[in-house]
Amino acid sequence: MRIRRSKNPLNRNLKRIAALVGLASLISCGSNKTPVKLGVSSNQEVIAAMTLDEKAQLLVGDDPGFPRGYPSIFGGADTLFMSQPPVVGKTEKLVPGAAGTTYAIPRLGIPSIVLADGPAGVRIDPTRPDTSKTFYATAFPIESLLACSWDTELVQKVGKCMGTEAKEYGVDILLAPALNIHRNPLGGRNFEYYSEDPVISGEMAAAMVNGVQSVGVGTSIKHFAANNNETNRMSINANIDEKTLHEIYLKGFEIAVKKSNPWTVMSAYNKINGVYCSENPVLLDSILRKDWGFSGFVMTDWFAGRDRIQQVKAGNDLQMPGSKYIAEQIAKAVENGELDEAIVDRNIDRILNIIKQTPRFNGYDYSDNPDLQAHAKVAAQAATDGMVLLKNNRNTLPLGKSISKIAAFGIASFETISRGTGSGNVNSSYTVSIREGLENKGYKIPDELEPAYAEHVKQEKERVGEKKSYFDPDIMLQEKNWSEAELKQFAVDCDLALFTISRTSGEFADRKVADDFGLTAAEQQMVKKLSKAFHAKGKKLVVVLNIGGVIETASWKNEADAILLAWQPGQEAGNAIAQILSGDVTPSGKLTMTFPVKYNDVPSAPYFPNPSTNPQQADYTEGTAVGYRYYREAGVATSYEFGFGLSYTDFVYNNLSVDSLPDHKCEIELSVTNTGVSNGQEVVQLYLKAKDSKMIQLKHFAKTALLKPGELETLKFEITAEDLAGYDPKQKAWITEPGAYDVLLGASSEDIRLRTEIALDQQVVFNY
Ligand code: BGC
């Protein structure tokens, strides 16, 4: 690239010549002959020593090799290429298979740093052409499962493992966690997100960030904001009223920023109310930095936005994955006065502050040898803690001593799905299938089942063909449909039927109602036939849901004796599922999303973007009535409500007390006693509700330690006036109105065990 003039006060000609001969770092300190180096010199000195081209290049990633412009699939206005397949971040530089790198300026001591996905573990290439060594990463459970553990300590522990793995593989910033709201069950990337509720999303994200960053690796909380669908995600305009935006779609990010100080934020692809997130100074500057105090840098999602100059102005500091062409545009805009160089310098300063904290800048000698065995144990523990037992008639689970031979059906009993696709994928060295997990626990699976499914999968794969790109969502294979006669025989030979229903999704596409949210015809038939055949012999049917997003359960759940929501539980899938089924671990997960009776009950169903109409607008007409907030208020029954989850033991809540504290605060205390027969953990949820409203809102939660039968734990929650506040768009402030409020302590959003009332005698306004 040719050297351009910088408007900074130093001698431009001298700088140009010096840069060419590699001396700029010596002369730019004026009379002081110490070389300018990041970390030794001030950022200001380092920036002053840069040429304009270097500055522009530092604001965009280190071009992974896309020739001029961006692929049309990303809606790049400056595209010259019209037919690229979908791509998520991938670079061969420094750490092959990472999502991208930043631009290095060695003469100023600025290294290129490495950014890698993602929410379920470090996504890098597992093999490299020049070595037989492998670079597998641990596939942890998907975020939806992690959230269902309601255990922030556990999530922090998972984050620490991911951070360590990132660090040992030479990655500086992990592109995670993702915390968009599950607005609708069809969201193709819901598996990468935590919940339909902003408080649990924000708390989980904060725990994850604190875990990853505790080892000196950065995070990028994403996608900021309202990236709630994949349909036309690069261009769609989310029309959201301000109250809803702040209370539902921004709140989780606010909690994460305030509680964990993430190094970076990734702006979302979409527009909000007409403005691309990456070009929006209100979002990136007024709200994120000024109101919430974010001090790191903002990067675009890969190829996001249209107006590269506006992105710089808006405070979207880094544009990923970057191209020389965009850097040239930025430099040109400075030269022709369209872009103030001080703004460029401001953004660079933020990027440099983070670079200085990275392992790469600090010369960390990474091993390429993380302790994968130790991390696998954490992945297994996380998986069991976040699985949700949805149904358990007449103590079907845990499996008793009389169960030894299990007839396992469903493709995913043999090819268990550990995670979603796209940038949420992880290249792990193995996935323990459900069959393997059960066999590891000593259960016997009839020998003929595995080869029968292997053959079926082979034929199905031939039928559906290859997907167009590695990053596309996987094409779902049809279930194998066994005849009634065959199933009858299994019911004679085996002690129990297990049927695994699976789903997969990922970037670039939302899910569909038919055959995805709903069961396919083959799945429905299998549930019915298995139920009939096994019940006829007095034997039971257990259904395992190996899914990444919510599915319909109401129409078929009566056929099953037990249903375990195992999610996509990471590489230890089968072992974790077997631990729950066998009773080694008592389930303690609870839903952080609602399982509605039918799709049309979902409040956003009429408005959720439908790909067949090529929508450019996503109207958030349902407002704040998202998930459980809606179902309870509207009195619409659910199949499994938010917060629901069964255990192998029982808990009783009592001894509720309320203590007033100064500054409009109060402390709530209660005790939880394990009154059942096995050890277990309970998740207690605290909801608040204004007396004159029907809408409840989750504000606090806690998970007990593992309680033995008869054991009791006292839990305390502090309620502040801010917990009661709503966003007022007119005053642009959070306001708590005086009056009475219900405090509801529940085992779920519908199962409220204890309640009390608190009151506030004056209005409180929160102006950040
Ligand atoms: C995804 C991001 C991801 C990036 C880099 C994009 O397609 O939306 O979540 O971090 O690719 O791989």
Side-chain angles (χ1 to χ4, degrees):
M1 188 190 283
R2 96 197 143 76
I3 303 291
R4 286 169 201 275
R5 277 192 279 159
S6 166
K7 284 185 193 160
N8 71 40
L10 292 165
N11 180 325
R12 286 179 192 132
N13 285 334
L14 194 54
K15 265 179 78 185
R16 286 171 78 183
I17 297 158
L20 281 173
V21 295
L23 288 175
S25 53
L26 279 179
I27 52 106
S28 47
C29 281
S31 55
N32 179 358
K33 290 284 187 284
T34 319
V36 175
K37 285 278 176 221
L38 184 65
V40 178
S41 322
S42 68
N43 282 6
Q44 283 61 39
E45 287 167 329
V46 174
I47 294 168
M50 288 179 192
T51 66
L52 180 54
D53 289 324
E54 284 169 337
K55 288 183 177 183
Q57 194 64 68
L58 202 59
L59 292 189
V60 305
D62 192 13
D63 193 342
F66 285 103
R68 280 178 71 80
Y70 286 158
S72 61
I73 188 89
F74 293 101
D78 41 23
T79 183
L80 293 178
F81 285 78
M82 303 308 290
S83 60
Q84 292 272 353
V87 183
V88 300
K90 184 156 164 53
T91 181
E92 293 308 316
K93 294 179 181 166
L94 294 173
V95 178
T101 52
T102 60
Y103 185 74
I105 310 177
R107 70 189 179 85
L108 298 176
I110 302 174
S112 176
I113 62 166
V114 177
L115 322 177
D117 292 304
V122 182
R123 184 177 65 82
I124 57 173
D125 285 346
T127 54
R128 295 177 190 170
D130 51 350
T131 169
S132 59
K133 184 180 161 32
T134 55
F135 303 81
Y136 288 107
T138 307
F140 291 92
I142 56 169
E143 281 193 4
S144 298
L145 180 149
L146 291 180
C148 288
S149 74
W150 298 72
D151 187 343
T152 48
E153 265 175 46
L154 171 85
V155 173
Q156 187 161 343
K157 189 166 160 189
V158 169
K160 191 171 177 191
C161 294
M162 283 189 198
T164 305
E165 233 162 269
K167 191 170 175 183
E168 292 309 323
Y169 277 137
V171 171
D172 299 286
I173 294 179
L174 187 73
L175 303 174
L179 64 147
N180 296 100
I181 292 292
H182 292 181
R183 178 182 174 219
N184 185 290
L186 302 187
R189 294 182 81 177
N190 281 0
F191 72 96
E192 290 185 67
Y193 307 146
Y194 294 112
S195 172
E196 66 189 22
D197 176 83
V199 169
I200 185 125
S201 301
E203 295 289 343
M204 289 294 150
M208 179 60 81
V209 170
N210 283 328
V212 175
Q213 293 191 175
S214 69
V215 299
V217 166
T219 53
S220 194
I221 61 171
K222 66 189 187 182
H223 310 87
F224 189 55
N227 183 175
N228 304 107
N229 50 271
E230 287 301 283
T231 301
N232 286 348
R233 68 175 186 177
M234 306 287 300
S235 56
I236 204 150
N237 178 29
N239 290 307
I240 315 180
D241 68 83
E242 258 195 85
K243 182 174 169 65
T244 303
L245 182 63
H246 281 264
E247 291 187 5
I248 305 290
Y249 297 99
L250 297 184
K251 190 71 193 172
F253 286 96
E254 179 184 349
I255 294 171
V257 166
K258 289 181 175 170
K259 290 199 164 178
S260 64
N261 206 8
W263 287 13
T264 78
V265 167
M266 186 188 292
S267 54
Y269 284 127
N270 49 286
K271 297 174 201 150
I272 296 178
N273 299 329
V275 185
Y276 278 107
C277 293
S278 60
E279 300 173 12
N280 188 339
V282 176
L283 194 64
L284 304 185
D285 201 48
S286 311
I287 296 176
L288 180 65
R289 294 177 195 282
K290 299 205 174 82
D291 289 348
W292 301 349
F294 173 68
S295 58
F297 74 77
V298 176
M299 70 177 83
T300 60
D301 199 344
W302 268 233
F303 308 102
R306 294 279 165 123
D307 185 338
R308 314 298 169 202
I309 308 309
Q310 180 53 28
Q311 287 182 331
V312 179
K313 289 182 185 169
N316 198 122
D317 310 297
L318 177 67
Q319 302 187 23
M320 290 304 293
S323 85
K324 289 204 170 62
Y325 176 59
I326 294 172
E328 278 167 21
Q329 283 185 6
I330 293 172
K332 212 183 280 167
V334 172
E335 280 192 332
N336 66 24
E338 193 195 334
L339 177 62
D340 185 347
E341 192 166 351
I343 291 178
V344 169
D345 292 353
R346 173 198 71 180
N347 294 6
I348 292 178
D349 183 44
R350 293 169 182 161
I351 296 172
L352 293 181
N353 280 338
I354 295 299
I355 290 180
K356 284 194 284 192
Q357 299 180 52
T358 59
R360 193 159 259 95
F361 176 79
N362 291 301
Y364 183 70
D365 186 13
Y366 55 95
S367 63
D368 272 334
N369 198 16
D371 189 347
L372 295 178
Q373 276 179 358
H375 294 175
K377 287 196 187 124
V378 176
Q381 187 207 341
T384 54
D385 285 8
M387 290 182 188
V388 185
L389 183 62
L390 294 178
K391 178 168 180 180
N392 194 17
N393 265 15
R394 287 173 287 121
N395 298 330
T396 300
L397 298 176
L399 299 174
K401 296 267 175 292
S402 60
I403 308 290
S404 66
K405 197 165 180 192
I406 299 179
F409 298 94
I411 295 172
S413 287
F414 302 89
E415 299 207 354
T416 308
I417 301 176
S418 64
R419 52 194 177 259
T421 59
S423 58
N425 202 347
V426 183
N427 296 309
S428 64
S429 62
Y430 65 86
T431 297
V432 180
S433 71
I434 294 175
R435 176 193 67 80
E436 289 165 334
L438 289 171
E439 287 180 350
N440 291 344
K441 273 255 142 285
Y443 296 104
K444 174 107 189 67
I445 313 291
D447 290 338
E448 62 269 41
L449 284 171
E450 168 118 61
Y453 273 100
E455 179 55 28
H456 172 73
V457 166
K458 189 170 149 257
Q459 286 172 14
E460 269 297 293
K461 283 190 173 157
E462 278 165 20
R463 183 183 66 79
V464 301
E466 290 287 310
K467 55 182 186 174
K468 287 199 200 86
S469 143
Y470 165 80
F471 293 112
D472 274 346
D474 286 337
I475 306 171
M476 265 173 51
L477 307 180
Q478 278 299 319
E479 255 320 325
K480 180 170 167 60
N481 209 339
W482 297 77
S483 73
E484 289 201 26
E486 286 169 318
L487 297 182
K488 250 183 177 171
Q489 192 53 49
F490 281 110
V492 172
D493 297 343
C494 301
D495 306 318
L496 179 102
L498 183 137
F499 182 45
T500 305
I501 295 174
S502 59
R503 293 289 181 271
T504 171
S505 70
E507 285 188 64
F508 312 112
D510 289 316
R511 297 169 56 214
K512 297 189 181 66
V513 179
D515 297 342
D516 192 341
F517 174 76
L519 261 48
T520 64
E523 289 167 339
Q524 289 172 27
Q525 283 166 28
M526 278 299 285
V527 171
K528 276 204 187 102
K529 284 194 273 189
L530 281 169
S531 165
K532 193 170 154 203
F534 279 74
H535 288 156
K537 291 273 166 247
K539 295 174 182 174
K540 291 180 176 171
L541 166 63
V542 174
V543 174
V544 173
L545 302 180
N546 180 202
I547 58 183
V550 167
I551 64 167
E552 187 273 321
T553 50
S555 70
W556 58 268
K557 64 183 180 185
N558 287 344
E559 307 281 357
D561 300 285
I563 304 174
L564 176 67
L565 171 57
W567 291 115
Q568 293 164 346
Q571 66 185 37
E572 286 288 325
N575 287 336
I577 290 168
Q579 279 193 299
I580 298 270
L581 296 181
S582 66
D584 282 0
V585 176
T586 296
S588 62
K590 293 193 181 189
L591 297 176
T592 58
M593 65 296 287
T594 306
F595 275 59
V597 170
K598 51 185 191 305
Y599 177 70
N600 283 337
D601 290 343
V602 176
S604 60
Y607 324 111
F608 193 68
N610 176 346
S612 66
T613 62
N614 190 23
Q616 290 310 315
Q617 304 295 325
D619 294 329
Y620 285 54
T621 314
E622 74 280 7
T624 57
V626 178
Y628 69 91
R629 284 172 161 75
Y630 165 78
Y631 295 105
R632 244 189 92 108
E633 190 183 28
V636 174
T638 58
S639 185
Y640 296 110
E641 77 271 13
F642 178 91
F644 175 80
L646 299 172
S647 169
Y648 296 153
T649 189
D650 297 310
F651 298 95
V652 165
Y653 298 18
N654 47 31
N655 302 326
L656 177 65
S657 67
V658 188
D659 266 342
S660 289
L661 303 174
D663 301 327
H664 310 295
K665 289 183 187 158
C666 67
E667 188 175 81
I668 304 281
E669 199 177 291
L670 77 154
S671 60
V672 177
T673 311
N674 181 349
T675 54
V677 289
S678 50
N679 295 347
Q681 286 181 279
E682 171 69 334
V683 173
V684 176
Q685 302 148 44
L686 187 155
Y687 298 90
L688 291 177
K689 180 179 91 57
K691 266 275 172 228
D692 55 359
S693 155
K694 279 187 170 170
M695 192 184 273
I696 63 167
Q697 296 184 30
L698 177 82
K699 291 296 169 182
H700 299 279
F701 57 88
K703 190 166 191 171
T704 66
L706 190 69
L707 299 178
K708 295 196 191 84
E711 206 178 341
L712 165 155
E713 182 171 331
T714 300
L715 300 175
K716 285 184 186 170
F717 300 101
E718 189 179 271
I719 301 180
T720 66
E722 207 169 346
D723 289 335
L724 306 166
Y727 187 79
D728 181 349
K730 281 200 204 94
Q731 298 193 44
K732 300 222 174 295
W734 289 82
I735 297 181
T736 304
E737 296 298 347
Y741 294 85
D742 286 327
V743 180
L744 310 171
L745 290 143
S748 83
S749 57
E750 296 288 341
D751 183 6
I752 303 302
R753 303 282 180 90
L754 295 172
R755 60 174 71 218
T756 185
E757 209 180 289
I758 52 174
L760 192 74
D761 53 9
Q762 66 181 82
Q763 191 188 62
V764 188
V765 179
F766 300 92
N767 281 314
Y768 293 108

